Amino acid sequence: MELTLTRPDDWHLHVRDSDALTTVVAHTARQFARAIIMPNLQPPVTKTAQALAYRERILAAVPEGLQFTPLMTLYLTDQTTADDIVEAKNSNRVQAVKLYPAGATTNSAAGVTDISNTWAALESMQQQGMPLLVHAEVTDPDIDVFDREKVFIERHLQPLIQRFPQLKVVLEHVTTREGIEFVSSAPDTVAATITAHHLLLNRNAMFRGGLQPHSYCLPVLKRESHREALLAAATSGSRKFFLGTDSAPHARERKESSCGCAGIYTAHAALELYAQAFEDAGALQQLEDFASHFGADFYGLPRNTDKVMLVKKDWQVPDSYPLAGSTLVPLLAGETLHWQLQP
Ligand code: NCD
Ligand code: ZN
């Protein structure tokens, strides 16, 4: 069996920097035409000049013969000004701005401490038509880690979309039924990305036969009923839900540690993983809209015109890939995948 699709884009991706780019940009560029590049480097990408320099480093890591366009983002802080937004917009290279609540996830220490500190920047984004990408989790330690998305939506996202009704907002890596319901019932300015791992796995994956650090990410995997809600949304044909892998490479020793960091790597087989999830749901015919159309439409960018082909053919995922002098353990390492992207 074969499946031909318009070449997809990844609307949420971490590629890191320096030597790590060699491995991870190659994986993504083989599959995707474009990707929204997350700005959570150390130090974070808070200014347009940094985003443009980072873009050049990413382009330098694209393998010969592949076409890949990184779409850059800025990291929103309490200090981001309206002028920062105008400069980003005028560059034509910065496509969006990412809101990390300070302390919510990997490299978020410089994030926003109180959303009211960002009103001027958000006002400018609304004016400029610059989308806001949101890591939608509260950091309040009193809130159960599995409820952090739901509480963020109630406390922060619902009021935010009322205050900025024209602002385009993406609830990144939505993980809960409540998140799906919020996005579905919100105006057309509000959309969400969905990862392959949240479509394929529930929280049992973190504890299968012992603690599984390579299944730990943020927002953390949720219970099965939430996974079912994500799958229903992704395969529904709603234009509000589109592909964003949140592929987040970390060296093996940072994951297999007494304090393992958050992030699941899926760029080695992103489309194959989504195809598996959609096939399991009996919805392969919905994959192209989700992977290749709805994201570009939301961002107001042209759809890609070239095609990719997936073939139903078993292959074994490697146990690891090299990563900047270390190794990287991908999702489903050593296991068999049933779809294969043709070169
Ligand atoms: C991401 C990372 O490692 O940068 N980690 C993750 O678990 N998803 C950060 C993020 O997107 O939250
Ligand atoms: Zn991410």
Side-chain angles (χ1 to χ4, degrees), residues 249-306:
H250 291 282
R252 178 196 283 269
E253 63 277 8
R254 300 281 317 278
K255 297 283 296 171
E256 299 174 6
S257 146
S258 61
C259 185
C261 57
I264 293 180
Y265 187 73
T266 52
H268 62 301
L271 206 51
E272 291 93 332
L273 293 163
Y274 282 106
Q276 190 65 60
F278 275 63
E279 184 180 37
D280 293 347
L284 269 179
Q285 73 287 356
Q286 304 289 348
L287 181 62
E288 185 177 35
D289 278 340
F290 174 81
S292 315
H293 295 158
F294 293 159
D297 296 352
F298 182 83
Y299 274 84
L301 294 169
R303 294 178 177 184
N304 299 318
T305 50
D306 62 327

Side-chain angles (χ1 to χ4, degrees), residues 218-267:
L218 287 169
V220 71
L221 295 171
K222 302 297 190 299
R223 66 164 62 240
E224 178 63 8
S225 57
H226 293 291
R227 189 188 73 89
E228 286 165 0
L230 301 184
L231 203 51
T235 59
S236 67
S238 163
R239 316 173 64 80
K240 286 170 159 282
F241 299 100
F242 44 85
L243 185 157
T245 62
D246 194 20
S247 177
H250 291 282
R252 178 196 283 269
E253 63 277 8
R254 300 281 317 278
K255 297 283 296 171
E256 299 174 6
S257 146
S258 61
C259 185
C261 57
I264 293 180
Y265 187 73
T266 52

Side-chain angles (χ1 to χ4, degrees), residues 70-228:
L71 306 173
M72 308 311 293
T73 61
L74 290 191
Y75 186 115
L76 188 66
T77 73
D78 292 349
Q79 282 77 43
T80 306
T81 65
D83 286 348
D84 290 332
I85 302 300
V86 173
E87 190 186 359
K89 181 71 183 181
N90 289 343
S91 76
N92 280 325
R93 302 284 196 210
V94 176
Q95 289 292 342
V97 175
K98 179 72 186 279
L99 188 169
Y100 291 101
T105 186
T106 308
N107 297 348
S108 64
V112 171
T113 62
D114 185 327
I115 295 185
S116 65
N117 293 332
T118 70
W119 292 158
L122 298 191
E123 186 64 52
S124 176
M125 288 168 60
Q126 175 167 253
Q127 256 169 39
Q128 303 285 327
M130 175 75 81
L132 176 71
L133 315 182
V134 185
H135 185 109
E137 288 194 289
V138 291
T139 55
D140 185 342
D142 292 338
I143 303 295
D144 189 281
V145 66
F146 293 99
D147 295 333
R148 287 183 186 173
E149 182 173 289
K150 169 174 158 290
V151 174
F152 186 94
I153 290 167
E154 292 161 4
R155 286 189 190 168
H156 302 298
L157 212 45
Q158 194 78 62
L160 187 146
I161 67 165
Q162 265 147 28
R163 192 179 185 105
F164 299 102
Q166 254 82 68
L167 180 65
K168 282 190 187 179
V169 176
V170 184
L171 197 179
E172 295 295 328
H173 40 52
V174 60
T175 62
T176 58
R177 179 176 296 280
E178 291 84 357
I180 296 294
E181 284 166 2
F182 165 74
V183 171
S184 299
S185 58
D188 288 347
T189 47
V190 180
T193 53
I194 306 183
T195 77
H197 48 281
H198 289 103
L199 289 177
L200 287 166
L201 304 176
N202 64 36
R203 63 192 190 179
N204 289 350
M206 286 186 292
F207 308 107
R208 200 189 53 219
L211 197 56
Q212 298 285 344
H214 298 291
S215 295
Y216 172 57
C217 64
L218 287 169
V220 71
L221 295 171
K222 302 297 190 299
R223 66 164 62 240
E224 178 63 8
S225 57
H226 293 291
R227 189 188 73 89
E228 286 165 0

